[in-house]
Amino acid sequence: MENVEVTSAGHVVMLPQQAQGHVKPMLSLAELLCLANVKVTFLVTAQIHDSLVQHTDTVGCFGRYPSLFEFKVVPDVPPRREWATYDHLQIMDSMIQGLAVHAKPLLQHLFLRNGNGNGNGNCTDNDEMSTGVTCLIADGWYSFAYDVANEAGIPYILCCCVGVSWLWSNFCIPALVDAGQLPFQDEDLDELVHRNVPGMETFLRYRDLPSFCRTKDKDACERLHRNCATEAERTKEAYGLILNTFEELDGPVISLLESQCKRVYSIGPFDALVKHISPPQSNATLISSSGSLREADQSCLSWLYQKPPKSVVYVGFGSIAVFKRDQLLEIWEGLVESNKYFLWAIRPDLISSKDASETLVRGTKERGCIVSWAPQEAVLAHPAIGGFLTHCGWNSTLESIIAGVPMICLPYFGDQQINSSYVAEVWKVGLDMKDMYDRNVVAEMVNDLLDGKKDEVQKSMARMSDAAKKSVAEGGSSYRNFDSLIQDIKMMSFKGEHSLQGPSLPPY
């Protein structure tokens, strides 16, 4: 495909959280915008940018849009500490504060091109209107960015790169704290959260709440209350909310968010929508398929081709999770005892640093294949894969649904706890192994997924996978909602225009 030279239909500044699970879907969203002729300025740290250049074809992919996409690189934020050891909210606050030091002045510079920064958004120089910023799309929790946007009169749209049930639970957390339901005791973990979680009362346990709710510290609970209340208000005040999901999967939660937010655009799975609307003649390696910040070991694909259909369980716990050695040992022994083939992506930093002196090797030659990082989407699409033992991060969850691969969920932190509950209890596309590091449980669930409950779970997964593919096809829910998002961005680019009506996008 030749390089695309077009006049942009708006200019969006995008600010993701600086982690693989957020950068990857935001890059897919950026490519969607470029495909709709919207200019994108994408802010990343030097470390993220270097990893993308080294391990992906990001530069080559976006080189197809020379007038529509550019990176803006800011210095690295302080390195994160080990997530297994420290308070997750404190780590997030530290990372955001570190990013703000350099990102805030850059945003101010970009936004001032729209005018004098007095909040009216009118141009005061000789720049053409099209060079100004139409809106900011940010990945949550970036109060400094929203403040800068408001000062410059720039609308902002929030993009939720995690499970939307997690987002809705954050709306509910202040009420849970006010009612004395948080903090809770360990013995309450399996009790249902009967009140103050609309739409989830029949299945949500305290165990399923976001990991940072597991605190007995009243001061930490008050901080959680303040943070969630502030972010809920930010979400309500935003011009709109972009969700990386589709209506057929998350319809009830989307409806709840629509009751609180001005505009909600459910346009996921982002990467599936990119693949659908990309010109077929491009033959491009899409960002969604290559957006890993680590080098993938492709040799595991050759190993998979030697295995029967649906006979292998793929094990992958994402880019952040850190386990104790004893926990990983139980998983390992369970996989060996299951007597099934398994492919496991074991990062060098997957084991807590204090426990990393020993390795796990028993059973590898007989039935296992170990790599440091796997090409996950290619693995999940392989016919030999029959199940996915996952941390239930949102990208992994959506990739598994698109591929039609049932899951065993062993969540680590953040949205993963509630995602795993939805996988098992609401969508019925997998099993929830939350908090159970026991080899017998692992072996039992692997055998259930690949044998005992295979037909039941596979039937539900096939139905949901088909719904995901239909949602991004022309006329599907995500396709239509993306059309609405693009029309709204186009209308923002016309200064003084307040109508959100406009001509429909031509077919992609």
Side-chain angles (χ1 to χ4, degrees), residues 18-20 23 44-53 76 293:
Q18 302 299 305
Q20 176 168 312
V23 171
V44 289
T45 63
Q47 181 180 6
I48 295 291
H49 185 261
D50 290 347
S51 295
L52 288 170
V53 171
D76 291 324
L293 302 183

Side-chain angles (χ1 to χ4, degrees), residues 34 48 60 79 115 189 230 242 256 284 291 322 328 336 355 362 379-380 423 441 466 468:
C34 289
I48 295 291
L189 281 172
T230 298
I242 298 172
L256 290 166
V322 178
L328 285 189
V336 172
D355 294 327
R362 191 178 80 83
V379 166
L380 289 172
V423 165
V441 174
D466 184 60

Side-chain angles (χ1 to χ4, degrees), residues 8-291:
S8 67
H11 179 189
V12 172
V13 174
M14 298 185 68
L15 178 61
Q17 290 187 37
Q18 302 299 305
Q20 176 168 312
H22 296 261
V23 171
K24 186 169 183 273
M26 288 283 273
L27 281 170
S28 292
L29 177 58
E31 186 164 12
L32 286 169
L33 295 174
C34 289
L35 285 165
N37 297 339
V38 175
K39 177 178 172 60
V40 174
T41 298
F42 199 92
L43 275 62
V44 289
T45 63
Q47 181 180 6
I48 295 291
H49 185 261
D50 290 347
S51 295
L52 288 170
V53 171
Q54 183 178 358
H55 300 307
T56 77
D57 190 32
T58 301
V59 174
C61 177
F62 281 110
R64 297 184 293 143
Y65 317 104
S67 61
L68 290 176
F69 182 89
E70 66 173 336
F71 279 114
K72 289 291 185 182
V73 181
V74 298
D76 291 324
V77 299
R80 74 166 191 263
R81 297 168 294 183
E82 200 167 87
W83 288 86
T85 309
Y86 297 95
D87 180 280
H88 295 156
L89 287 178
Q90 287 181 340
I91 294 174
M92 184 66 71
D93 288 345
S94 175
M95 293 175 67
I96 291 172
Q97 291 167 11
L99 182 65
V101 172
H102 301 287
K104 184 174 181 178
L106 176 57
L107 290 172
Q108 289 170 330
H109 172 74
L110 290 169
F111 294 163
L112 280 174
R113 294 174 64 189
N114 275 39
N116 56 17
N118 62 5
N120 60 22
N122 295 321
C123 290
T124 58
D125 53 25
N126 293 323
D127 288 347
E128 295 180 6
M129 290 292 185
S130 61
T131 65
V133 174
T134 303
C135 70
L136 167 72
I137 297 180
D139 184 12
W141 298 86
Y142 283 135
S143 294
F144 74 87
Y146 308 135
D147 290 340
V148 174
N150 283 333
E151 290 168 5
I154 304 294
Y156 67 86
I157 300 176
L158 272 65
C159 180
C160 180
C161 291
V162 295
V164 296
S165 55
W166 178 88
L167 180 62
W168 177 246
S169 71
N170 282 0
F171 271 76
C172 301
I173 282 171
L176 292 173
V177 175
D178 288 340
Q181 293 169 266
L182 294 178
F184 58 87
Q185 302 301 313
D186 289 343
E187 56 266 25
D188 298 329
L189 281 172
D190 288 317
E191 292 293 322
L192 288 176
V193 187
H194 288 293
R195 297 175 289 116
N196 297 312
V197 285
M200 303 179 183
E201 304 94 331
T202 59
F203 64 89
L204 191 73
R205 303 166 298 174
Y206 284 96
R207 186 185 302 280
D208 303 322
L209 287 171
S211 58
F212 47 65
C213 292
R214 296 191 183 189
T215 176
K216 299 180 178 65
D217 187 321
K218 290 187 177 180
D219 290 339
C221 214
E222 285 301 318
R223 180 161 53 88
L224 175 62
H225 181 288
R226 289 193 303 271
N227 284 1
C228 289
T230 298
E231 293 308 316
E233 286 305 309
R234 288 283 190 188
T235 306
K236 294 175 184 177
E237 293 168 1
Y239 180 91
L241 172 65
I242 298 172
L243 303 177
N244 188 16
T245 189
F246 54 103
E247 293 177 1
E248 294 77 7
L249 182 71
D250 275 317
V253 182
I254 292 170
S255 295
L256 290 166
L257 289 168
E258 287 175 335
S259 71
Q260 301 292 318
C261 304
K262 296 176 182 177
R263 301 169 186 85
V264 176
Y265 310 95
S266 304
I267 64 172
F270 292 167
D271 56 348
L273 186 57
V274 170
K275 292 172 184 176
H276 182 81
I277 69 175
S278 293
Q281 67 272 25
S282 66
N283 294 321
T285 301
L286 298 174
I287 291 300
S288 59
S289 298
S290 60

Side-chain angles (χ1 to χ4, degrees), residues 408-439:
I408 299 173
C409 304
L410 185 58
Y412 174 63
F413 84 121
D415 65 318
Q416 298 160 17
Q417 272 79 13
I418 197 166
N419 292 346
S420 69
S421 181
Y422 268 75
V423 165
E425 300 299 327
V426 179
W427 307 323
K428 309 291 186 182
V429 295
L431 308 175
D432 191 0
M433 198 165 67
K434 187 183 291 109
D435 298 325
M436 291 186 284
Y437 297 94
D438 182 283
R439 63 189 68 187

